[in-house]
Amino acid sequence: MSRRPVRALLQDIVDYGEEAVATVADLDGDAILAERFREHAVLRTVQIVGEASAQILQVRPQGIEGLALRDAAGLRNILVHGYAKARMDRVVIIVRRDVVALVNAAKAALATGEDYE
């Protein structure tokens, strides 16, 4: 399997991150857990953001200035491997604070026009 370009991975962070934020909306953790499809949507989109972050770090171990890629990749690992320990109320906070910040930073990185490959 060939690696996707960093620019495409940054766009994944934007697209899936925005979807995670929209899916969380103004709901709390209990409300999200009450809707199984919404719960799955939130967790999956956040996992994709983390996986895209991890893939960027494979190509650019130094990361990209202003992007908390290691934090996002770490959260992905927790959600995938420690899913039973993940608390939705905590995921909601992370989406609203950290995913929003990561999306904004990824948009800014894309806007620079830098060729990341």
Side-chain angles (χ1 to χ4, degrees):
M1 179 183 249
S2 64
R3 286 199 174 145
R4 297 187 62 226
V6 171
R7 181 165 285 287
L9 295 167
L10 286 168
Q11 191 61 56
D12 284 346
I13 290 171
V14 171
D15 294 343
Y16 286 96
E18 287 180 340
E19 188 173 340
V21 171
T23 303
V24 165
D26 62 350
L27 301 173
D28 64 16
D30 289 337
I32 291 169
L33 290 172
E35 297 181 55
R36 192 87 163 152
F37 284 105
R38 186 180 297 268
E39 173 191 2
H40 288 227
V42 170
L43 295 176
R44 180 67 177 147
T45 53
V46 172
Q47 287 172 10
I48 292 170
V49 168
E51 180 60 26
S53 298
Q55 288 185 27
I56 291 171
L57 289 168
Q58 288 176 353
V59 176
R60 296 175 61 114
Q62 75 281 14
I64 298 173
E65 189 174 339
L67 276 79
L69 299 172
R70 282 177 181 69
D71 291 343
L75 177 59
R76 176 250 179 232
N77 290 340
I78 290 168
L79 294 177
V80 170
H81 301 293
Y83 64 91
K85 296 178 184 176
R87 293 186 7 236
M88 186 55 70
D89 58 332
R90 185 73 181 123
V91 172
V92 168
I93 292 168
I94 290 169
V95 168
R96 290 188 178 136
R97 182 188 63 212
D98 301 328
V99 172
V100 167
L102 184 62
V103 165
N104 290 336
K107 285 180 180 179
L110 287 167
T112 67
E114 182 177 338
D115 181 17
Y116 288 103
E117 291 303 309

